[in-house]
Amino acid sequence: MTKTITGFSKLSKSEKIDWLVSTYFTDSKSAKTLLKQYWNANEKLQQLHDEFIENTITNYYLPLGVAPNFLINNKLYTIPMAIEESSVVAAASKAAKFWYDRGGFKAEVISTQKIGQVHFMYHGDVAKLNQFFTTLKPKLIEDSKSITKNMEKRGGGILDIELKNKTQDIEGYYQLHATFETLDAMGANFINSCLEQFAKTLKNQAQCFDLFSAEEKDIEIIMSILSNYVPDCLVRAKVSCKVEELTENPNISAQEFAEKFVQAVRIAEVEPFRAVTHNKGIMNGIDAVVLATGNDFRAVEAGVHAYASRHGKYSSLTHAKIEDGIFTFWIEIPLALGTVGGLTKLHPLVRLALELLGEPSAKELMQIVAVAGLAQNFAALRSLTTTGIQEGHMKMHLMNILNQFEATSEEKVKLVEYFKTNTVTHSAVVEEIEKLRH
Ligand code: MEV
């Protein structure tokens, strides 16, 4: 059994690696070489990455791809996507081109409110607490002025603070439930700083509120934190066209395709097992853009899936209908994104991604990300309801299998050509490699 180590974070990067490779790896020399191979030769750039987190030992690469031809609200975008899954960028590009020829995507931001809460315990007279809150509220806002003044200058800040009685769920449990407008910032630091100030003011003011008994004055703050559930930071994106414009596939009529597609969406609306996979496909597109633009994909994931369950049952994030011969397909999702702050100025590739998108505002980025999710879902459902998913997926996965077998460039050219007309399966590829090599 390996021993624990104290003071690991204080070691230099090289010392950390030395401890790691000698403790965990039989071939410590190769492990060390591999870790160093991924260091950037540009020392300043490497240091920047080292300092993003604690205990950095190397970099972990993901491909950054682009999907061109996205027409969104009549503006053309090439969308950056950071993702490892073979078929995602190809699928997005295909869907972009398909809808470019049919008028593109339309997107609109519905709301941009974010939420944060101070969770606290109070065991006393509720009427007195309500009375206290009316005097407290202006003080909460006043005491946070030093935090909010810059945001206010730009038109954002605290929108409202409510007192919420949650004693039906937990005895003595109340909240300060605050709403914020954080403009182009994702706003986590801003919101959390405001909330921590609210908590201090709440605690202090309670001590001086004359109507409270000694026990009532002793409000216990449990925690102050933003919520990643943002149902009022909502964006909608849609595509639509005449049903007869819908298919390029000679094996299925446009009407049949449209009906099958709508049915597939309905299944995801009512059947959670399908909805999870359906939404996972949407998140393939969303996460890839969120990551490429330096946003917090864990926050987005958590918020989006909570939204997908808002009616008490996990359901599809997209919807589709055919009405008067018009096919419409749309998505509605909560997205708390930022185009300033966080990694946006720090990570050179994030800066590049944002420049590629034309330096969007947070609202514009919400629209782009929602479209990426919708496009991804369209591509997945189109394959699923026609050819099946494996045809396209395995075509894209072919390169991974070839790399796994260390195929030479010459072998790759031959095998890619061969599999243009043959079905890709793992065993078929292995068989063809072996044939070539013997
Ligand atoms: C694979 O990453 C995503 C899909 O499974 C999505 C779907 O089934 O809709 C293809």
Side-chain angles (χ1 to χ4, degrees):
M1 210 172 84
T2 50
K3 278 192 282 174
T4 57
I5 179 165
T6 43
F8 183 73
S9 67
K10 305 275 180 322
L11 299 179
S12 71
K13 188 156 98 173
S14 287
E15 288 167 338
K16 282 175 189 147
I17 290 177
D18 285 341
W19 177 81
L20 208 66
V21 296
S22 63
T23 311
Y24 290 101
F25 297 87
T26 38
D27 184 354
S28 56
K29 212 168 147 219
S30 326
K32 196 167 171 170
T33 309
L34 183 64
L35 287 172
K36 290 193 173 178
Q37 227 170 40
Y38 280 83
W39 287 5
N40 200 291
N42 176 335
E43 278 179 27
K44 248 181 99 183
L45 196 63
Q46 185 53 55
Q47 196 187 346
L48 179 76
H49 285 76
D50 288 352
E51 289 172 359
F52 281 152
I53 58 167
E54 189 165 270
N55 297 343
T56 307
I57 49 168
T58 192
N59 306 308
Y60 184 95
Y61 292 169
L62 280 182
L64 176 68
V66 293
N69 301 322
F70 268 97
L71 188 64
I72 306 173
N73 296 340
N74 299 323
K75 186 171 164 186
L76 201 54
Y77 296 88
T78 293
I79 299 187
M81 303 177 90
I83 186 146
E84 87 301 343
E85 191 174 325
S86 336
S87 51
V88 169
V89 177
S93 305
K94 256 183 155 176
K97 190 69 186 50
F98 182 94
W99 285 106
Y100 178 87
D101 295 334
R102 291 158 180 81
F105 296 81
K106 301 281 177 259
E108 58 173 330
V109 170
I110 297 161
S111 50
T112 56
Q113 265 184 31
K114 316 235 167 96
I115 288 162
Q117 297 165 319
V118 178
H119 306 268
F120 67 95
M121 310 307 285
Y122 165 83
H123 300 280
D125 183 346
V126 183
K128 279 199 237 169
L129 185 66
N130 285 328
Q131 207 176 333
F132 168 61
F133 182 68
T134 53
T135 62
L136 175 72
K137 191 170 165 178
K139 193 84 181 102
L140 291 170
I141 291 171
E142 192 187 311
D143 285 1
S144 356
K145 272 283 175 261
S146 64
I147 307 165
T148 57
K149 69 172 188 290
N150 282 338
M151 188 64 88
E152 278 173 6
K153 261 190 226 150
R154 286 182 272 132
I158 302 162
L159 299 177
D160 196 15
I161 311 171
E162 289 167 85
L163 172 69
K164 293 215 168 170
N165 183 335
K166 307 293 282 185
T167 52
Q168 293 222 314
D169 298 323
I170 300 175
E171 197 203 328
Y173 171 35
Y174 294 84
Q175 297 169 348
L176 295 181
H177 181 98
T179 44
F180 300 86
E181 170 56 68
T182 61
L183 306 167
D184 285 336
M186 188 265 193
N189 283 332
F190 171 76
I191 294 174
N192 288 334
S193 300
C194 288
L195 295 170
E196 288 187 4
Q197 181 55 52
F198 294 170
K200 276 189 205 146
T201 304
L202 167 66
K203 184 96 187 137
N204 293 340
Q205 291 297 310
Q207 299 291 330
C208 332
F209 190 61
D210 290 341
L211 296 181
F212 279 161
S213 67
E215 199 206 336
E216 286 169 335
K217 281 182 179 171
D218 197 20
I219 280 176
E220 184 193 8
I221 307 291
I222 302 295
M223 59 189 160
S224 311
I225 187 73
L226 92 166
S227 173
N228 290 124
Y229 185 41
V230 283
D232 290 315
C233 189
L234 211 56
V235 54
R236 191 179 296 144
K238 72 165 187 177
V239 283
S240 72
C241 70
K242 288 188 189 141
V243 167
E244 67 254 30
E245 292 169 358
L246 209 47
T247 183
E248 291 162 337
N249 184 336
N251 300 322
I252 185 167
S253 78
Q255 184 66 33
E256 195 187 343
F257 169 69
E259 282 169 14
K260 235 177 142 181
F261 191 101
V262 170
Q263 207 56 268
V265 175
R266 269 197 208 127
I267 291 170
E269 284 169 343
V270 301
E271 165 54 49
F273 278 96
R274 172 57 200 150
V276 172
T277 319
H278 177 97
N279 289 349
K280 185 274 180 189
I282 294 171
M283 298 316 285
N284 279 344
I286 289 183
D287 282 343
V289 190
V290 168
L291 198 55
T293 55
N295 276 280
D296 182 344
F297 62 91
R298 288 85 56 209
V300 167
E301 283 277 347
V304 163
H305 295 300
Y307 190 73
S309 320
R310 69 194 180 286
H311 299 306
K313 180 170 153 184
Y314 192 86
S315 178
S316 170
L317 294 161
T318 54
H319 309 280
K321 64 178 181 187
I322 303 167
E323 240 171 47
D324 303 327
I326 304 288
F327 168 84
T328 309
F329 178 47
W330 72 100
I331 187 168
E332 197 184 271
I333 38 163
L335 284 174
L337 300 177
T339 53
V340 300
L343 273 195
T344 54
K345 283 255 158 359
L346 270 183
H347 196 303
L349 285 177
V350 169
R351 280 209 309 264
L352 180 133
L354 289 171
E355 191 176 340
L356 174 66
L357 290 174
E359 305 295 353
S361 63
K363 277 185 175 176
E364 195 178 346
L365 186 60
M366 284 167 77
Q367 296 175 354
I368 296 167
V369 170
V371 163
L374 186 69
Q376 208 65 46
N377 192 220
F378 179 77
L381 292 181
R382 187 156 73 133
S383 298
L384 286 168
T385 54
T386 55
T387 58
I389 204 73
Q390 283 308 78
E391 186 184 281
H393 193 80
M394 289 308 284
K395 274 236 155 74
M396 293 308 301
H397 191 55
L398 172 62
M399 209 39 83
N400 287 346
I401 307 175
L402 294 178
N403 283 331
Q404 209 178 311
F405 286 88
E406 296 180 358
T408 62
S409 312
E410 208 178 309
E411 286 172 335
K412 282 180 184 168
V413 171
K414 283 190 184 145
L415 290 166
V416 167
E417 192 52 40
Y418 174 83
F419 282 107
K420 274 186 185 156
T421 47
N422 289 281
T423 308
V424 182
T425 63
H426 192 86
S427 54
V429 178
V430 175
E431 205 173 293
E432 285 310 307
I433 294 177
E434 279 172 359
K435 263 197 224 160
L436 266 186
R437 288 180 178 172
H438 292 112

